[in-house]
Amino acid sequence: QLFKKLDKDDGGSLSADEMIVAMHEFNIDADRPSAARLLVEVEAYGEEGMRLEAFRKSMMALLLEPVEEEDPFEGMDEEQVARLKKMLQSMFNGQMAHGWEQWKNHVDRQQISR
C-alpha cells in the first residue's frame, strides 16, 4: 500500500513532503491549486500530518477533479500559432509522412540516376 510505503517513520501519517511523493506517484501536479491548498493544509497539521482515511479522501478528490489544460500557444504571435496548428494538423492527418516518403523517393531516384 502506498500510504505505508510513504510513511517512513511508521507514525500513521504523512508529512507534506511525503504527500508530494504520493502526488507524483499518481501523476498529480503538486502546483495545481487544489493540490497546493492540500499541501498547505497538511503542513498546518504539523507533526500530526495526514492520516490514512484523510489521505484516501484527498487523493480520490484530486484524481477525480477535472484538470484544466494550459494553452501551449498563449502569448505567441497569432500568425505563428496559425502556422504551427496547420503543421500539427498535417502531421496528425499523415500528410507530412506522405510528403517525407515522396521526398525520400525523389532523393533515391536522384542517386540512382547518377
Side-chain angles (χ1 to χ4, degrees):
Q1 195 183 54
L2 181 62
F3 185 88
K4 289 181 181 178
K5 177 181 153 187
L6 295 174
D7 185 15
K8 300 290 184 194
D9 62 1
D10 285 330
S13 65
L14 298 181
S15 68
D17 290 336
E18 292 167 330
M19 285 296 297
I20 291 172
V21 174
M23 288 177 189
H24 180 73
E25 289 285 326
F26 285 104
N27 201 25
I28 296 170
D29 184 4
D31 292 332
R32 209 160 83 188
S34 54
R37 282 191 303 273
L38 178 62
L39 292 172
V40 169
E41 187 180 317
V42 173
E43 283 181 5
Y45 293 151
E47 288 292 315
E48 186 177 323
M50 180 176 270
R51 300 258 176 229
L52 177 60
E53 194 54 39
F55 171 76
R56 283 183 183 154
K57 287 180 183 177
S58 298
M59 293 307 285
M60 284 306 295
L62 288 173
L63 289 169
L64 295 174
E65 180 181 85
V67 178
E68 231 178 84
E69 294 288 328
E70 291 183 27
D71 182 6
F73 303 111
E74 186 177 334
M76 291 177 69
D77 176 50
E78 286 188 33
E79 191 176 303
Q80 186 180 20
V81 170
R83 285 195 310 267
L84 282 170
K85 286 183 176 180
K86 187 174 181 178
M87 182 188 71
L88 290 169
Q89 186 177 23
S90 295
M91 285 173 54
F92 288 122
N93 291 337
Q95 293 168 353
M96 288 187 87
H98 177 69
W100 177 248
E101 287 300 318
Q102 286 181 325
W103 173 253
K104 286 193 324 187
N105 289 337
H106 171 73
V107 170
D108 288 344
R109 283 194 302 273
Q110 295 299 318
Q111 288 176 351
I112 290 173
S113 66
R114 287 186 182 172

